[in-house]
Amino acid sequence: MGQTSSIAASLCIALAIMQNCPSVVAYTWPDPQIDLLESIRFQQNGFRQYGLAFGVVPCHSMANMQETGRSDSAEWFRTAYHDMATADVQAGTGGIDSSIAFETDREENKGKAFNESIGFFVAFHSARSSMADMVALGALFSVESCSNGEVMIPFRGGRQDVTEAGPLGVPQPQEGLDSHTAAFARQGFNTTEMIGLVACGHSIGGVHGSNFPEIVDVVDDIDNQASRHDFDETFDNFDNSVATQFVANNSQNPLAFGHNETTRSDFRIFNADGGDLIRKMAESQQFFWDTCSTLLERMLNTVPANVKLTEVIQPIPVKPNNLFIAVNRNGTMTISGEVRIIEDGTTSADREVTIHLKSRTGEPISIDPVVATTHEELQVHGYYKNIPSFSSYLFSTKAVSTNTGISSFDIEIKDGDNVTMHQNNGQGYPLQDALLVQKEGTCTRQAFIGRDSNNTLEVTAAVRDDMAFESVQLWVPKPVNMIGSLSSRFEPTAVEMTKTESLNGTGYSLYTGSFWFMINSVGPMKTFDLVADGPNGMVQNNFTKWADVPICKST
């Protein structure tokens, strides 16, 4: 891609606990499997933030403030484990597949945690970001936030959502050691790994008397309405206190030394190897973190055998975003967008970012330099250590003729005397100018009828006449409510667009189409595609977010 060595080196240092840094160099934009997930993973706070991590910052925070004594971090972790816990690795079934959304009425899944977690994740669920991936990211963010970035879990995407409940099988506190050992073996973890995974999971949070009055007492406390009894004295810090207190025999963990001997599952599990691993975890904070990072990565990567996860998703050093081409009636094209650049500590105060456009035939376009600019409000940061920061640079030009067109661009970054040309692994950053979303004439609206929302999309497309398309379609991944779940599934739906006008002198015509749907919620992330087909082939303009086009004006 042509990165400077300083960017690549700092990236590996900043995320040293993650592996496969060389894979960053091999990345070619766009990659529909990882681009959105990379943004959700790393764009935590600031310009174009995705905000999923916000739910667990600080570690003790709770999005639903209507009940005290709860924390999203512990509940998101619990949601991921319970989703995974019914896996059968030998059979190749189950794992993190969002089946938990259908299983919240089971005795083994007591409490509000699961539905409320899924309800939070819905906003980040899309045709390119499965609910299962959000469940995994939720647990990952919990551990990273609660350890202030000391534990960084490599994240892979590509999990697939199921549309029905899975089998029973989440281990419960009243079960004996043999039952727990068999359950974890079914999930792919041996006895030692079971001990470690339970210790890691019980580093944050506690047991709620509102859900388990047989384990802990229900208290009358306005500041602890859930009657939470913490696993250790640092319930909102992902550390080895759960191990040190257990080994010191002064643990407050109700699953280790609670009044109900039947439900002392942690005591039985931690002693399953004679107490060897839990002692090692107590003796070294770093050993605890390293053990947890390895085990939790495996837990999050437990998926059905037919699911292939991506490579570890690394932060992309130079990444285009929000690109639009508009056809103007005077025969020019407005090309606009953003370039997100990682901050590696070497940025000069007078950094210059220039966009070099290439014509439809691949030749450099001779126009004044297209300069991209930034300011403080265009920065995005992480909430904790080891998450990189980025700055976005905006650009726009109207100087390109529709006869010239555009096929790609290169990005030149000048930091003092250091000049680097980024060419996307020699391919340029691609743009197609045959099928375009015209922001002017495209809009969305949302109206609420009780708990239902009516979502409407109106799209205007500019279509190049010389392509002689026989069909121009608007495709919408329509979110559909599912019985027994707060999650949704996506139902790809096509609408034929209608030619409404020829733009004389431009070589383009305008097509329009509209789509609407009802859903019982605000709904997940909404997107749309344009697809055109004809004798010269098929062209697609994919994954435009509804949020990136204007809101329809009131009529």
Side-chain angles (χ1 to χ4, degrees):
M1 191 187 294
Q3 298 102 321
T4 64
S5 59
S6 60
I7 287 181
S10 66
L11 185 58
C12 288
I13 292 171
L15 297 175
I17 199 165
M18 293 188 179
Q19 300 176 355
N20 303 322
C21 280
S23 67
V24 178
V25 178
Y27 167 81
T28 300
W29 183 88
D31 186 333
Q33 282 191 299
I34 72 169
D35 285 342
L36 177 62
L37 293 175
E38 188 265 0
S39 295
I40 299 173
R41 171 79 171 95
F42 295 111
Q43 289 175 215
Q44 294 185 356
N45 181 31
F47 182 66
R48 295 205 182 278
Q49 66 184 26
Y50 279 83
L52 177 56
F54 171 78
V56 289
V57 178
C59 180
H60 62 261
S61 67
M62 184 68 201
N64 178 9
M65 297 302 295
Q66 297 178 0
E67 185 177 23
T68 58
R70 297 171 58 195
S71 65
D72 279 332
S73 57
E75 297 190 0
W76 290 6
F77 188 102
R78 184 172 178 238
T79 297
Y81 175 71
H82 280 234
D83 194 25
M84 185 282 302
T86 57
D88 186 331
V89 294
Q90 290 297 319
T93 59
I96 295 191
D97 55 10
S98 74
S99 65
I100 185 66
F102 297 92
E103 300 161 359
T104 58
D105 59 347
R106 294 177 174 177
E107 183 69 14
E108 63 188 28
N109 296 324
K110 290 181 179 179
K112 305 174 184 176
F114 308 108
N115 275 331
E116 292 188 3
S117 297
I118 296 296
F120 192 100
F121 300 154
V122 161
F124 309 95
H125 182 203
S126 76
R128 289 189 180 177
S129 52
S130 68
M131 179 58 74
D133 276 339
M134 296 307 98
V135 168
L137 268 176
L140 177 148
F141 283 145
S142 296
V143 172
E144 292 183 354
S145 172
C146 294
S147 68
N148 191 30
E150 293 289 351
V151 180
M152 298 295 294
I153 303 173
F155 177 70
R156 301 171 188 267
R159 294 164 190 80
Q160 297 179 13
D161 296 333
V162 296
T163 56
E164 61 184 5
L168 295 166
V170 179
Q172 298 184 73
Q174 70 274 13
E175 296 174 7
L177 181 60
D178 288 346
S179 176
H180 280 121
T181 303
F184 277 86
R186 171 176 43 77
Q187 299 160 17
F189 299 96
N190 63 29
T191 298
T192 302
E193 293 162 344
M194 170 184 69
I195 296 166
L197 196 57
V198 171
C200 298
H202 291 171
S203 176
I204 52 178
V207 178
H208 293 168
S210 57
N211 300 326
F212 299 97
E214 73 279 11
I215 300 178
V216 295
D217 294 333
V218 176
V219 298
D220 183 11
D221 184 351
I222 191 65
D223 295 322
N224 188 10
Q225 293 167 325
S227 297
R228 185 186 68 226
H229 295 250
D230 300 332
F231 290 124
D232 62 32
E233 60 188 4
T234 58
F235 80 95
D236 59 352
N237 190 349
F238 191 83
D239 60 16
N240 66 343
S241 290
V242 69
T244 58
Q245 287 186 262
F246 181 83
V247 171
N249 204 32
N250 63 354
S251 176
Q252 65 192 59
N253 181 352
L255 296 182
F257 297 105
H259 65 78
N260 187 342
E261 187 174 348
T262 303
T263 57
R264 292 180 185 172
S265 54
D266 281 10
F267 182 87
R268 295 187 287 270
I269 289 171
F270 291 165
N271 284 309
D273 66 347
D276 183 55
L277 181 63
I278 200 71
R279 279 195 297 271
K280 291 179 181 177
M281 298 180 87
E283 290 168 357
S284 169
Q285 179 66 82
Q286 192 60 55
F287 177 81
F288 179 89
W289 281 334
D290 291 345
T291 300
C292 291
S293 178
T294 299
L295 291 174
L296 297 181
E297 181 183 7
R298 282 182 52 197
M299 182 188 93
L300 299 183
N301 291 347
T302 301
V303 294
N306 64 333
V307 174
K308 180 176 175 56
L309 298 179
T310 68
E311 295 299 315
V312 174
I313 296 178
Q314 305 281 7
I316 299 166
V318 178
K319 181 182 180 183
N321 185 41
N322 204 38
L323 300 176
F324 284 93
I325 304 174
V327 175
N328 305 313
R329 294 179 182 274
N330 64 359
T332 64
M333 309 172 77
T334 298
I335 301 164
S336 62
E338 305 159 9
V339 177
R340 193 202 68 185
I341 302 174
I342 197 168
E343 295 294 345
D344 65 347
T346 65
T347 304
S348 63
D350 58 349
R351 171 189 274 177
E352 297 177 7
V353 178
T354 306
I355 309 301
H356 297 274
L357 304 174
K358 295 181 182 179
S359 71
R360 190 175 297 142
T361 57
E363 301 298 321
I365 299 176
S366 299
I367 58 175
D368 292 335
V370 181
V371 177
T373 60
T374 191
H375 51 79
E376 187 175 349
E377 286 74 22
L378 298 179
Q379 297 176 347
V380 60
H381 310 280
Y383 281 114
Y384 41 80
K385 293 190 303 182
N386 289 323
I387 294 293
S389 297
F390 305 89
S391 294
S392 288
Y393 290 75
L394 313 186
F395 67 91
S396 181
T397 179
K398 298 181 180 179
V400 179
S401 165
T402 54
N403 293 326
T404 302
I406 185 171
S407 61
S408 66
F409 62 94
D410 297 333
I411 302 168
E412 180 184 1
I413 302 176
K414 181 179 180 182
D415 269 312
D417 295 331
N418 188 7
V419 180
T420 317
M421 186 70 75
H422 296 262
Q423 297 178 312
N424 200 31
N425 287 330
Q427 301 181 31
Y429 295 91
L431 284 174
Q432 60 82 22
D433 65 1
L435 180 63
L436 306 173
V437 176
Q438 289 278 96
K439 272 194 172 182
E440 182 180 352
T442 298
C443 64
T444 68
R445 66 170 60 91
Q446 187 176 57
F448 289 92
I449 305 171
R451 295 181 59 185
D452 294 340
S453 64
N454 186 342
N455 302 267
T456 302
L457 171 69
E458 298 177 5
V459 177
T460 298
V463 181
R464 217 170 73 209
D465 295 331
D466 65 349
M467 295 296 292
F469 290 124
E470 297 171 344
S471 171
V472 178
Q473 293 184 324
L474 167 65
W475 278 83
V476 178
K478 175 185 173 183
V480 177
N481 292 126
M482 296 187 291
I483 296 175
S485 170
L486 294 182
S487 186
S488 306
R489 61 179 176 84
F490 292 95
E491 193 174 87
T493 309
V495 175
E496 196 71 30
M497 300 185 73
T498 303
K499 181 178 178 178
T500 57
E501 182 181 0
S502 294
L503 298 178
N504 295 331
T506 68
Y508 284 82
S509 295
L510 298 183
Y511 285 67
T512 61
S514 62
F515 188 82
W516 71 273
F517 65 87
M518 298 282 291
I519 191 167
N520 186 1
S521 69
V522 174
M525 190 186 303
K526 298 181 283 288
T527 64
F528 68 90
D529 305 326
L530 300 179
V531 180
D533 199 10
N536 296 313
M538 177 182 291
V539 175
Q540 300 183 47
N541 188 323
N542 290 332
F543 208 72
T544 298
K545 294 189 283 293
W546 289 36
D548 287 342
V549 300
I551 296 174
C552 298
K553 296 180 181 178
S554 301
T555 56

